[in-house]
Amino acid sequence: MPTSEIEHEPKEPLTVKVDLSEQSEPDSAVSVTDRQHEVLVRVLQLAYPHPNFPAEPYQRTADTVVAATGENAALRSCLGPGLDDLDSHADGDFAGLDDQAGTRRLRELADDPWFVGVRATAVVALYDDEQVWDLLGYEGASYHLGGYLDRGFDDLDWLPDPRIEERSDLQMEGQS
């Protein structure tokens, strides 16, 4: 029998039920003490050293790291203890260590989960801060302004002009 002559019985619409009871909102961010926040700011200053930066971008970045613990359960569980551990290994004052000692300690912790989580969040947060852009001389995105080509792409006044010379003794391949 040809396909066009087959009769189809109407089917009931399919109803799909989804149980959303197991899904929940992201957990709230961990609370850090004022001391832990101070240590975190110092960690950021040592991990991303810019002597001419004021404290504010580092403080905002620390706030962003703390806020990220709401989405990152691993970081949420180890951030506070990691910061406390830094203090305990520095006789209670990691924030007071000189740059060399503090950096040495952070290098020892480079693979610790809490420090990896801090770095992963902080590198984006710090360098996406508009005050940091100003301090570094970055003008920001240019697409909405027509791109970089006609907006100072070649305005590097701190580099010497390139030396461009044409050599008459060289001939291009295929020319006589």
Side-chain angles (χ1 to χ4, degrees), residues 138-149 151:
Y138 175 59
E139 296 177 9
S142 72
Y143 179 79
H144 67 286
L145 299 171
Y148 291 113
L149 190 57
R151 290 191 54 248

Side-chain angles (χ1 to χ4, degrees), residues 27-120:
D27 291 323
S28 61
V30 70
S31 294
V32 295
T33 65
D34 289 343
R35 177 63 191 172
Q36 289 170 329
H37 193 272
E38 179 183 358
V39 170
L40 180 55
V41 168
R42 182 66 175 140
V43 164
L44 298 170
Q45 290 170 328
L46 292 170
Y48 304 98
H50 295 280
N52 63 327
F53 281 17
E56 292 82 12
Y58 292 110
Q59 291 167 344
R60 285 190 297 273
T61 301
D63 293 341
T64 301
V65 168
V66 171
T69 64
E71 297 288 329
N72 185 332
L75 183 58
R76 181 173 50 251
S77 67
C78 63
L79 179 64
L83 294 169
D84 291 340
D85 187 55
L86 277 177
D87 250 357
S88 67
H89 280 89
D91 295 326
D93 191 19
F94 179 81
L97 290 179
D98 63 64
D99 290 357
Q100 191 174 20
T103 301
R104 187 172 42 251
R105 179 67 181 135
L106 291 182
R107 286 186 182 175
E108 294 168 2
L109 300 172
D111 295 325
D112 279 16
W114 77 269
F115 191 55
V116 170
V118 166
R119 285 193 331 248

